[in-house]
Amino acid sequence: MSIAIHIDSLVVEGVSSHPHLAGRIQRAMERELHRLLRDGPPISFSQGGSLPAITAPQLRVAAQAPPAEIGREIARSLHGMLTGSL
């Protein structure tokens, strides 16, 4: 099974917008989302299809959380929305 995900925009408020940090958050999110989808792809995707948009719930992470933690939490939230577990 092949799953392609395109994220047009991702709004993360309350986190430094420094490009270096944004890149680290993005890489951590991509790694974690890949791991989660590999281990448990959404059943609804087994027959193909697409979602025009999803809105993930608000995340609560510590203000000084490392970028890797923020990225992992974003991925878990997105995965939960895709699998219906949130």
Side-chain angles (χ1 to χ4, degrees):
M1 175 188 306
S2 175
I3 298 174
I5 296 178
H6 172 77
I7 299 174
D8 188 52
S9 66
L10 179 65
V11 177
V12 181
E13 297 175 346
V15 175
S16 171
S17 61
H18 189 279
H20 177 70
L21 292 178
R24 290 175 61 195
I25 291 170
Q26 177 182 348
R27 286 187 297 279
M29 180 192 71
E30 288 171 351
R31 279 192 306 272
E32 181 69 1
L33 193 53
H34 179 265
R35 183 189 71 77
L36 292 166
L37 290 171
R38 182 191 66 226
D39 294 346
I43 293 172
S44 62
F45 283 21
S46 64
Q47 300 298 317
S50 66
L51 299 170
I54 63 171
T55 301
Q58 183 174 351
L59 299 177
R60 300 236 182 247
V61 293
Q64 299 303 319
E69 181 182 336
I70 296 168
R72 285 189 302 268
E73 289 301 317
I74 292 169
R76 291 173 187 147
S77 179
L78 291 172
H79 184 260
M81 294 297 295
L82 292 171
T83 59
S85 63
L86 285 182

